[in-house]
């Protein structure tokens, strides 16, 4: 499998790490003025799942965190 990551400036509280992938979920930060509809990560999860992959939150100690997307490698078949 291959992985990539996108930095997230603020860590996601552990209590919200599964919920943030639910459609329309807006965490505690939404109450602090963070804008959004709560659809972005739900769409990302569906897109990754459609490609037989997974997406998860990984906390970086003291530095916020990142999202890890893991997708299966695809082998190209050789033409005869």
């Amino acid at each position: 499998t291959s992985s990539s990551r996108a930095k997230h400036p603020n860590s996601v509280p552990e209590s919200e790490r599964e919920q943030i992938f639910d459609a329309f979920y807006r965490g505690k930060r939404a109450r602090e003025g963070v804008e959004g509809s709560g659809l972005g990560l739900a769409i990302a999860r569906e897109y990754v799942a459609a490609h037989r992959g997974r997406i998860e939150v990984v906390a970086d100690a003291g530095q916020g965190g990142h999202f890890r997307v893991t997708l299966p490698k695809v082998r190209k078949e050789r033409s005869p």
Side-chain angles (χ1 to χ4, degrees):
T1 60
S2 62
S3 296
S4 64
R5 60 183 169 170
K7 283 237 179 231
H8 191 271
N10 302 308
S11 65
V12 176
E14 190 171 344
S15 62
E16 295 183 10
R17 289 188 187 156
E18 290 300 318
Q19 293 173 311
I20 63 170
F21 296 103
D22 294 342
F24 302 107
Y25 180 78
R26 299 184 70 219
K28 293 179 182 179
R29 297 215 191 282
R31 291 180 228 138
E32 298 171 3
V34 175
E35 294 183 25
S37 64
L39 287 174
L41 289 173
I43 292 169
R45 179 182 62 186
E46 292 300 317
Y47 183 82
V48 170
H51 289 84
R52 297 178 315 187
R54 68 176 187 213
I55 184 170
E56 61 188 321
V57 179
V58 179
D60 294 332
Q63 299 179 3
H66 64 270
F67 295 101
R68 179 183 297 145
V69 174
T70 306
L71 300 171
K73 285 188 178 182
V74 177
R75 293 183 186 192
K76 290 185 178 183
E77 293 185 26
R78 295 183 184 200
S79 300

